[in-house]
Amino acid sequence: GENVEQHPSTLSVQEGDSAVIKCTYSDSASNYFPWYKQELGKRPQLIIDIRSNVGEKKDQRIAVTLNKTAKHFSLHITETQPEDSAVYFCAASTYSGGGADGLTFGKGTHLIIQP
Amino acid sequence: SQTIHQWPATLVQPVGSPLSLECTVEGTSNPNLYWYRQAAGRGLQLLFYSVGIGQISSEVPQNLSASRPQDRQFILSSKKLLLSDSGFYLCAWSPGLATQYFGPGTRLTVT
């Protein structure tokens, strides 16, 4: 089965600086890679996702890059703000026209934005 | 728009008691449905997923079971809870294009 490794487990950055979280996956059949943000006691919220037919995707201050050859993908947050403080999870799955397997998650990164 | 509900929001149950958690989705038809568990301070683990009524795939052997009696209803059950069943149970739905959206979750404490 799929295995997703996520690093670092904790990341502390100064407000306004950039943050980068990295994940690797093991199954070359995986073709969908979402990122979720989870605030304490709440549900994970999808913030950005990427499919294997593209190498990069941006949404305002957030970007995700994918390297299929190396089997790794990264989340980039620029101009960090206090409200970016949360736990971030990467995940991977395989989907086809009929549906998708469940997501395999990394263990999460606790992002701390220092004022 | 689509909405996903879970209940109850919190639950405290003694060891050995039964469990039934419910998830329903509104505003869509024939969604893929998923159950995940998140232990305290940990990542999310896929438990079950379903692509249609009566179709359940199990990912992890355990004393839990799932059922999908209606198109937009997904139920997680146990006959006898263990202490290790404590956690945050999250239901998710997908329109079939892999993107998954999570419900508000049920926080279960087994005492």
Side-chain angles (χ1 to χ4, degrees), chain B residues 2 9 14 19 24 33 37 43 74 80 84 106 108:
Chain B
Q2 298 82 15
L19 173 74
T24 60
L33 296 172
R37 177 171 61 200
F74 205 21
K80 289 186 177 182
S84 58
T106 295
L108 171 66

Side-chain angles (χ1 to χ4, degrees), chain B residues 6-81:
Chain B
Q6 286 186 247
W7 60 89
T10 60
L11 191 59
V12 180
Q13 292 283 93
V15 169
S17 63
L19 173 74
S20 181
L21 304 181
E22 189 167 346
C23 170
T24 60
V25 182
E26 296 178 353
T28 187
S29 60
N30 198 31
N32 292 341
L33 296 172
Y34 307 83
W35 279 112
Y36 292 87
R37 177 171 61 200
Q38 185 174 33
R42 304 288 296 276
L44 289 87
Q45 179 187 36
L46 176 67
L47 301 175
F48 301 95
Y49 71 95
S50 172
V51 298
I53 295 174
Q55 300 179 64
I56 308 293
S57 295
S58 174
E59 290 295 306
V60 181
Q62 62 230 317
N63 69 323
L64 299 172
S65 62
S67 62
R68 186 169 176 174
Q70 299 180 42
D71 181 45
R72 290 170 289 175
Q73 183 185 33
F74 205 21
I75 296 173
L76 183 69
S77 304
S78 174
K79 292 182 179 178
K80 289 186 177 182
L81 285 169

Side-chain angles (χ1 to χ4, degrees), chain A residues 32 36 38 41-44 46 49 51 89 95 99-103 105, chain B residues 32 34 36 38 43-44 46 49 88 90 97-100 102-104 107:
Chain A
Y32 175 68
Y36 287 85
Q38 187 178 30
K42 299 191 175 180
R43 77 182 87 181
L46 179 69
D49 57 11
R51 299 175 192 272
F89 292 96
Y95 81 97
D101 296 342
L103 295 167
F105 282 85
Chain B
N32 292 341
Y34 307 83
Y36 292 87
Q38 185 174 33
L44 289 87
L46 176 67
Y49 71 95
F88 192 33
L90 290 153
L97 297 176
T99 305
Q100 293 185 24
F102 285 90
R107 196 164 302 279

